[in-house]
Amino acid sequence: IPVVGVLAGLGFGGLAVALAIRPTLENLMAGVILFMDKPVQVGDFCTFGERSGTVENIGIRTTRIRALDRTLISIPNAIFANMELVNWAQCDTMLILTQIGLRYETMPDQLRHVLASLREMLYAHPKIERGTVRVRYAGYGPSSRDVQIRVHALTREFNEFYAIREDVFLRVDQIVADSGTSFAFPSQTLYLGRDD
């Protein structure tokens, strides 16, 4: 028996098997890490890469996620465990961040009234965390005086978050209308001149 040939064959065979089984072992180890570390659990809504969805199953080899368009995404555990994961189910509040633009014809007293009324409304809102209320005159936009609103909604559910945000936006609309000003829209002023 050619011992050298047999050993060489076993060495190449072992190398081939090791290379073939490597992805499976990586996925298995990543599955164990996902199970022990629990960055996400079944039922959690998360963002991974540029996609979002609800975790349906964390298996030995893959994690299955139901995307927003109702498609089922299967991701190898080795890839999923190395991605940046945002677990929305673990957040304690949800951010409402928007910027409104008021017309440049808005007088300073009207602007002060809008700012004070917005702050008063947000502090009194039962679903807004008072310590996070920030309403500021942010600057001069191309066609508007910009006001930034940044608050946190007291919810962990997306449907409730959208309802709270909608309520806040409707109240903002009413405050702007009551102040005697209105929202700006993109506009340009054209100056014409004539040569002598």
Side-chain angles (χ1 to χ4, degrees):
I1 297 173
V3 178
V4 174
V6 170
L7 289 177
L10 288 175
F12 285 122
L15 180 62
V17 169
L19 289 174
I21 202 168
R22 194 186 108 224
T24 303
L25 287 175
E26 285 177 351
N27 288 325
L28 177 65
M29 292 306 297
V32 170
I33 290 169
L34 287 171
F35 177 75
M36 294 181 68
D37 194 31
K38 296 183 182 176
V40 292
Q41 295 178 332
V42 173
D44 288 354
F45 183 81
C46 67
T47 300
F48 53 100
E50 297 190 10
R51 306 286 304 267
S52 295
T54 303
V55 178
E56 287 197 349
N57 184 19
I58 300 173
I60 293 174
R61 196 181 80 75
T62 62
T63 297
R64 288 196 302 270
I65 298 175
R66 183 71 63 183
L68 294 175
D69 61 0
R70 303 304 297 154
T71 56
L72 188 63
I73 303 169
S74 292
I75 305 170
N77 287 336
I79 294 172
F80 190 65
N82 288 322
M83 295 179 92
E84 180 179 320
L85 302 175
V86 178
N87 188 343
W88 294 101
Q90 296 298 319
C91 67
D92 54 350
T93 60
M94 299 182 91
L95 176 66
I96 299 173
L97 176 63
T98 190
Q99 186 164 294
I100 62 172
L102 302 176
R103 296 173 56 218
Y104 268 110
E105 291 81 9
T106 303
M107 301 303 292
D109 286 341
Q110 288 174 314
L111 184 57
R112 288 185 187 95
H113 178 265
V114 169
L115 293 170
S117 298
L118 288 174
R119 291 179 188 125
E120 182 181 341
M121 178 270 294
L122 292 168
Y123 279 120
H125 199 290
K127 287 293 190 171
I128 297 298
E129 186 178 354
R130 291 186 180 133
T132 65
V133 172
R134 188 176 77 200
V135 178
R136 291 289 176 210
Y137 179 26
Y140 305 97
S143 57
S144 64
R145 294 174 178 249
D146 296 332
V147 175
Q148 187 181 69
I149 301 170
R150 185 182 189 279
V151 295
H152 283 262
L154 294 170
T155 185
R156 299 172 70 167
E157 298 292 329
F158 267 99
N159 286 335
E160 187 180 11
F161 165 73
Y162 290 129
I164 294 167
R165 187 177 67 175
E166 177 184 273
D167 180 56
V168 167
F169 287 173
L170 289 171
R171 293 179 190 214
V172 169
D173 290 348
Q174 189 62 51
I175 288 169
V176 171
D178 291 346
S179 71
T181 186
S182 60
F183 293 105
F185 54 90
S187 60
Q188 293 181 343
T189 304
L190 182 62
Y191 295 98
L192 298 175
R194 184 174 292 176
D195 292 336
D196 292 336

